[in-house]
Amino acid sequence: MAAAKKTIKKASPIKKSNTPKASKRGGKTTDGTLDQKILSVLSGYQAMKVTAVPKIDVCEQCGYKALDTKTFREAMKRLKDRNHIEYHSGKMVSITPSGHEASPVAAAIAPLDNSTMHKRIKEKLAKWPKGAQIFEKLLDGKEHDKKVLCEEVGYKALDTKAFREPLAFLKKMEWMDSNRGSVQLTDKVFPHGRPSLKA
């Protein structure tokens, strides 16, 4: 009789785990880099004493143009479901204590001096052609006439979108006050002391 052949069973391939990796901060987990990017943006603002941030600003800093982009929308929903973020009126969003714990450590470091603070603000203004230039003009801490400021940066009309929008952004972040045609940076822009206002 012929000897029975031994059947060798092949080992089944090891399946990769779909469990998201824990972040180094607080042992929390998120579903991918977009979640971390959103938390990083919000933590960065919190370190700059800004709590509520326009959702569109977070969206754009994460590389998306519209709030209804599916990938961004789903990431925001995940974070909200985990109580890492919360929504406010006026399409604003803020990070929660648990979200802060889940965010990258570096993003939560407060500016160590005024120049670091100013650099971070200019990065937020980079979406506008002359956003950083407008901000530089205001860094003396003095009150500036909007019409004069508009002309100094090369625009002819106050309602020019590229001039109007960065000012509106600075005001919304509480980095600038506006009063009767004049604008002035707030104390939040100078966490380590305002410059001398002497002429």
Side-chain angles (χ1 to χ4, degrees), residues 25-45:
R25 182 170 186 159
K28 304 293 182 179
T29 60
T30 58
D31 288 337
T33 56
L34 180 54
D35 298 52
Q36 286 286 289
K37 177 63 176 175
I38 292 170
L39 293 176
S40 178
V41 170
L42 291 172
S43 280
Y45 272 115

Side-chain angles (χ1 to χ4, degrees), residues 61 116-127 132:
Q61 289 194 44
T116 303
M117 179 71 168
H118 301 162
K119 181 180 178 181
R120 291 188 186 181
I121 293 176
K122 282 188 278 189
E123 287 172 355
K124 307 297 183 187
L125 292 165
K127 60 185 284 189

Side-chain angles (χ1 to χ4, degrees), residues 19-135:
T19 305
K21 295 180 180 179
S23 71
K24 293 180 180 179
R25 182 170 186 159
K28 304 293 182 179
T29 60
T30 58
D31 288 337
T33 56
L34 180 54
D35 298 52
Q36 286 286 289
K37 177 63 176 175
I38 292 170
L39 293 176
S40 178
V41 170
L42 291 172
S43 280
Y45 272 115
Q46 189 179 66
M48 297 164 75
K49 307 300 181 183
V50 176
T51 50
V53 182
K55 283 195 283 186
I56 187 61
D57 183 67
V58 179
C59 180
E60 290 174 346
Q61 289 194 44
C62 289
Y64 298 93
K65 294 182 179 180
L67 290 173
D68 61 355
T69 303
K70 184 179 179 181
T71 306
F72 179 77
R73 188 178 70 245
E74 289 179 347
M76 292 287 280
K77 184 179 185 303
R78 282 195 301 270
L79 293 173
K80 189 174 187 302
D81 289 344
R82 290 173 179 167
N83 195 36
H84 286 349
I85 62 173
E86 58 184 5
Y87 294 149
H88 304 276
S89 60
K91 295 183 178 180
M92 306 288 279
V93 61
S94 63
I95 192 168
T96 64
S98 67
H100 184 70
E101 285 298 311
S103 68
V105 177
I109 299 175
L112 299 177
D113 50 41
N114 282 346
S115 61
T116 303
M117 179 71 168
H118 301 162
K119 181 180 178 181
R120 291 188 186 181
I121 293 176
K122 282 188 278 189
E123 287 172 355
K124 307 297 183 187
L125 292 165
K127 60 185 284 189
W128 293 285
K130 296 185 179 180
Q133 186 181 347
I134 292 169
F135 182 68

